[in-house]
Amino acid sequence: MSSWYPVQGKQFVILGLARSGLAAAKWLVANEAKVVGWDDTEDKRKLDDIQTQEPQHIDWKHIDALIQSPGIPFTHPITKAAIAHKVPVISDIDLLRQSAPNARFIGITGTNGKSTTTTLIAHILSFCGVDAHLGGNIGVPVMSLPTLDENGVYVLELSSYQLDLSNNLDLDISAWLNITEDHLDRHETIANYIQAKGKIFQGENPERLAIIGIDDPFSEQVYKELVIAGDIKNIIQVSVAKKATIYVENDVLFDNRFDQPSAMLNLRDAPTLQGKHNHQNAAVAYAVAAHLGLSSEEICRAIQSFPGLKHRQETIAVLDQIYFINDSKATNADAASKAIETYASLGDIYWIAGGQAKQDGIDGIPEQLQKITHAFLIGDAQERFAKSLVGQTSFTYSGTLATAVKQAYLMAKTNRKKATILFSPACASFDQFRDFEERGEAFRTIVRELQINSL
């Protein structure tokens, strides 16, 4: 047991009083711990039930642990002070892991597809009668979840930021989807990013399972290193490009865990999981559920019934044979390229992109850019994206999302062909929106107004 758990009578500092920090603080207070909090945003410090304290006034000699929100860098003065005083710096995930020692824990990480896979796994488990609860980076603070016993399962989306803070989570099942360059503003190098993600495999339980998508070179190397290390005996490979333990070939999901590959499901029959990236998500989710002992038939029925994820290739409306797709969760080029691939076979694509650009921009997806009929650029990334699109496809500077949607609809309607207006920004949202959810809801509202005006 850790030095800071059980929490009764212990003293904690909470750094960051947004959703996850606030939930952790409230849980600690309810469990008779002493808590002081801090947030750099003044409005978030105006709390009735949690005492806040200026960083310079924290008495570190009496603090048992610092619980840090994942979005805050380790360079924060409070974090540096905690480290200097040898105070453990932990995450709310660590707190949940200690507070529910008998429950089973499933963690999912990767650059793309985390939210879809996490939600799909929770859907499958619930469909099959398992007491499963979803949380983590997907937007549900883990300390707001109920405390589960040995019959319960936590299904947690884990970002590199959360894993960077974690301390030997010892998950029952760790699922690794893929890796492309992302969040280098935080991690600086791809090696550091992979190292942070790799903490998902840390643990002492000899029966724990690792599931790894092996279709990108970084992930394949991670798989090889895990095999060589030998700390994890149970490893399942997942692929949508070649035969593996669980793989997809010609849209069919195969289970190759036993004597010979068995065709389990034609994924064309899973309407919300189209495209190779979603096939990988489905294969990983199948691997998790099958390992838990659920029947293949039930798992496949659950996959077919999956309603999809908000803001991830979500069909908002169809007007004049024009599909409006909300893919606001595509915050980098790799995610956007997968969406473009999915809809390229369905007609013209009018792409709305832009926001706060990631380090690699969209230079790495030239083949997908050539499949776009016309691009409408918004936000801070307009000029940068325009340079990448020269020679690839035509584009318009739209500035705002509302303008882009209206311009795209007018162009698509004028061409009188089946088309997709794909809002897949390939950018973070923070230049114009609070987060990708607010951005996606704005897209939904704009499209709804178009629907009303077209009646």
Side-chain angles (χ1 to χ4, degrees), residues 400-451:
T400 67
L401 181 56
T403 299
V405 173
K406 291 168 186 174
Q407 290 174 334
Y409 179 49
L410 179 61
M411 184 178 290
K413 190 166 62 170
T414 301
N415 289 337
R416 297 178 180 275
K417 292 165 63 178
K418 185 176 180 180
T420 300
I421 293 176
L422 175 61
F423 178 43
S424 190
C427 281
S429 57
F430 308 125
D431 58 334
Q432 295 181 334
F433 299 96
R434 181 181 66 247
D435 49 32
F436 75 83
E437 288 108 333
E438 184 181 74
R439 180 170 65 181
E441 291 301 326
F443 180 73
R444 185 193 303 274
T445 299
I446 295 162
V447 174
R448 189 178 297 123
E449 290 173 357
L450 284 180
Q451 284 181 289

Side-chain angles (χ1 to χ4, degrees), residues 165-445:
L165 284 165
S166 70
N167 295 270
N168 198 24
L169 291 176
D170 204 17
L171 303 171
D172 296 279
I173 301 176
S174 303
W176 172 294
L177 299 171
N178 49 60
I179 285 290
T180 58
E181 290 191 2
D182 199 12
H183 299 305
L184 298 191
D185 54 339
R186 163 83 169 240
H187 299 292
E188 296 184 347
T189 67
I190 185 69
N192 290 343
Y193 179 44
I194 291 171
Q195 184 178 32
K197 289 281 193 185
K199 294 180 78 174
I200 196 171
F201 298 119
Q202 291 181 348
E204 299 173 0
N205 176 7
E207 302 302 318
R208 69 190 192 279
L209 172 70
I211 299 171
I212 307 180
I214 57 170
D215 289 339
D216 65 84
F218 296 124
S219 298
E220 189 170 29
Q221 183 61 32
V222 167
Y223 164 73
K224 290 176 181 177
E225 290 172 0
L226 280 181
V227 171
I228 292 169
D231 295 330
I232 302 177
K233 307 303 181 187
N234 301 316
I235 304 178
I236 290 178
Q237 302 173 328
V238 170
S239 177
V240 296
K242 52 196 169 190
K243 287 181 171 58
T245 320
I246 307 293
Y247 67 96
V248 178
E249 185 176 73
N250 296 324
D251 299 329
V252 177
L253 175 66
F254 287 88
D255 186 340
N256 196 19
R257 290 176 298 151
F258 305 110
D259 294 336
Q260 60 184 11
S262 299
M264 307 311 302
L265 175 65
N266 190 326
L267 289 168
R268 294 173 192 165
D269 297 329
T272 63
L273 292 166
Q274 298 306 295
K276 281 191 174 183
H277 60 297
N278 276 322
H279 291 175
Q280 183 191 56
N281 300 336
V284 168
Y286 175 91
V288 169
H291 180 77
L292 291 174
L294 304 179
S295 78
S296 296
E297 293 78 10
E298 273 194 305
I299 296 169
C300 292
R301 285 201 300 272
I303 291 172
Q304 288 174 290
S305 70
F306 181 53
L309 190 67
K310 284 185 72 175
H311 313 301
R312 175 62 85 195
Q313 294 184 23
E314 179 188 18
T315 301
I316 299 298
V318 183
L319 292 173
D320 304 312
Q321 286 193 300
I322 300 164
Y323 286 74
F324 290 81
I325 305 297
N326 172 21
D327 195 35
S328 179
K329 205 172 190 307
T331 59
N332 58 50
D334 188 64
S337 72
K338 289 175 169 60
I340 293 167
E341 284 285 351
T342 299
Y343 295 99
S345 62
L346 303 179
D348 292 346
I349 292 181
Y350 298 91
W351 185 38
I352 300 174
Q356 188 179 84
K358 297 292 179 72
Q359 185 167 328
D360 57 346
I362 55 172
D363 291 334
I365 56 168
E367 290 182 14
Q368 286 76 28
L369 298 180
Q370 292 169 13
K371 297 175 182 180
I372 295 162
T373 307
H374 192 90
F376 298 85
L377 305 179
I378 65 173
D380 289 350
Q382 279 189 122
E383 294 289 345
R384 182 175 175 184
F385 280 18
K387 291 176 182 177
S388 300
L389 290 171
V390 171
Q392 307 287 355
T393 190
S394 57
F395 58 86
T396 297
Y397 291 105
S398 299
T400 67
L401 181 56
T403 299
V405 173
K406 291 168 186 174
Q407 290 174 334
Y409 179 49
L410 179 61
M411 184 178 290
K413 190 166 62 170
T414 301
N415 289 337
R416 297 178 180 275
K417 292 165 63 178
K418 185 176 180 180
T420 300
I421 293 176
L422 175 61
F423 178 43
S424 190
C427 281
S429 57
F430 308 125
D431 58 334
Q432 295 181 334
F433 299 96
R434 181 181 66 247
D435 49 32
F436 75 83
E437 288 108 333
E438 184 181 74
R439 180 170 65 181
E441 291 301 326
F443 180 73
R444 185 193 303 274
T445 299

Side-chain angles (χ1 to χ4, degrees), residues 7-238:
V7 302
Q8 186 177 16
K10 302 287 176 62
Q11 297 191 44
F12 294 82
V13 174
I14 307 291
L15 176 55
L17 296 173
R19 287 180 291 192
S20 63
L22 198 56
K26 289 180 177 179
W27 186 91
L28 287 166
V29 170
N31 284 272
E32 300 180 32
K34 299 175 183 178
V35 174
V36 294
W38 179 259
D39 196 291
D40 290 341
T41 303
E42 184 178 355
D43 286 349
K44 291 179 181 176
R45 299 198 296 266
K46 298 174 180 176
L47 303 169
D48 294 331
D49 49 354
I50 296 170
Q51 177 189 353
T52 59
Q53 193 157 43
E54 296 282 343
Q56 65 271 25
H57 296 148
I58 296 172
D59 184 2
W60 290 104
K61 294 192 296 293
H62 298 101
I63 301 299
D64 293 285
L66 166 66
I67 299 180
Q68 179 162 322
S69 293
I72 298 173
F74 289 111
T75 54
H76 193 282
I78 287 181
T79 314
K80 292 166 73 174
I83 293 170
H85 287 84
K86 295 182 170 51
V87 171
V89 179
I90 64 173
S91 72
D92 59 336
I93 310 291
D94 292 306
L95 185 57
L96 177 69
R97 190 71 184 91
Q98 294 278 17
S99 68
N102 297 321
R104 287 173 290 179
F105 280 75
I106 300 168
I108 300 92
T109 200
T111 304
N112 295 306
K114 295 187 297 296
S115 294
T116 298
T117 306
T118 304
T119 307
L120 176 58
I121 291 169
H123 170 78
I124 293 170
L125 298 186
S126 297
F127 184 94
C128 296
V130 177
D131 184 19
H133 293 264
L134 177 73
N137 190 61
I138 200 163
V140 180
V142 297
M143 295 316 299
S144 68
L145 300 174
T147 302
L148 303 179
D149 59 18
E150 64 275 5
N151 297 313
V153 180
Y154 292 108
V155 186
L156 307 178
E157 178 184 330
L158 300 176
S159 71
S160 61
Y161 293 4
Q162 289 169 309
L163 289 166
D164 220 6
L165 284 165
S166 70
N167 295 270
N168 198 24
L169 291 176
D170 204 17
L171 303 171
D172 296 279
I173 301 176
S174 303
W176 172 294
L177 299 171
N178 49 60
I179 285 290
T180 58
E181 290 191 2
D182 199 12
H183 299 305
L184 298 191
D185 54 339
R186 163 83 169 240
H187 299 292
E188 296 184 347
T189 67
I190 185 69
N192 290 343
Y193 179 44
I194 291 171
Q195 184 178 32
K197 289 281 193 185
K199 294 180 78 174
I200 196 171
F201 298 119
Q202 291 181 348
E204 299 173 0
N205 176 7
E207 302 302 318
R208 69 190 192 279
L209 172 70
I211 299 171
I212 307 180
I214 57 170
D215 289 339
D216 65 84
F218 296 124
S219 298
E220 189 170 29
Q221 183 61 32
V222 167
Y223 164 73
K224 290 176 181 177
E225 290 172 0
L226 280 181
V227 171
I228 292 169
D231 295 330
I232 302 177
K233 307 303 181 187
N234 301 316
I235 304 178
I236 290 178
Q237 302 173 328
V238 170

